[in-house]
Amino acid sequence: MATWLDSTDFARYVLIPEEVLPTWEGAEAEEVIDEYVSALRMAGRGILTLGAEPLSVTWLAESLTFARWCYADDDTGLLSAVHAAGSADGWKDVLLLELGGRYVLADAAYEGDRILDSLRDAQQPAEALRVELPPGRYRVQSLIVDPDHKTQFMLERLLPE
């Protein structure tokens, strides 16, 4: 169903503008250690980081939501859980961030060259996902959903301001 990036040993993912990738060295994310959701700036652009736990992650473009797999037998209930969570109480506001354009979601420890190579090589397991966002200011919100007693996903959604 969804394309998942396998869990990261570094426990940090980064949503980085494609034009910044050639200069990304992977070490920049050390500034956001121990935060589930954070942001940094590079080359005048906002960069979103997802971290604190080495969980697999996917991007759901229709709902502008990142989902991290806490535990589940499979991801068949993910889309219905995200849809149900859309109007749920309990979303926690985390930060506001200016975003827009073509981004790539990848392990924050990977250097830009490795991320670009991954995007070009469809034969290998995915190490990066492309994300396109209309320009604007976004509120990032987090919520943990438990569709049933055997399933849990951590969600981060982007709400246009």
Side-chain angles (χ1 to χ4, degrees), residues 3 117-128:
T3 300
D117 288 346
S118 171
L119 291 170
R120 290 189 274 268
D121 189 357
Q123 305 301 88
Q124 298 296 325
E127 287 190 346

Side-chain angles (χ1 to χ4, degrees), residues 16-26 28 42-43 47 102 104 110-117 119-120:
I16 185 168
E18 270 194 39
E19 72 267 12
V20 176
L21 275 175
T23 59
W24 182 259
E25 295 179 4
E28 292 89 345
M42 185 174 174
I47 296 173
R102 294 181 59 139
V104 176
Y110 294 167
E111 292 183 359
D113 289 342
R114 177 175 177 170
I115 296 169
L116 289 168
D117 288 346
L119 291 170
R120 290 189 274 268

Side-chain angles (χ1 to χ4, degrees), residues 132-154:
E132 298 230 10
L133 294 168
R137 189 168 177 88
Y138 290 86
R139 177 178 308 279
V140 182
Q141 294 184 318
S142 292
L143 180 69
I144 294 177
V145 294
D146 299 278
D148 60 53
H149 70 281
K150 294 191 220 175
T151 308
Q152 185 177 75
F153 297 103
M154 181 182 302

Side-chain angles (χ1 to χ4, degrees), residues 48-93:
L48 181 69
T49 63
L50 305 174
E53 293 189 43
L55 304 172
S56 296
V57 66
T58 192
W59 168 245
L60 305 170
E62 185 175 304
S63 59
L64 298 178
T65 301
F66 297 98
R68 290 191 267 174
W69 188 312
C70 298
Y71 54 85
D73 290 335
D74 57 41
D75 66 352
T76 55
L78 176 62
L79 292 180
S80 60
V82 170
H83 179 72
S87 60
D89 291 334
W91 285 95
K92 178 184 171 195
D93 287 342

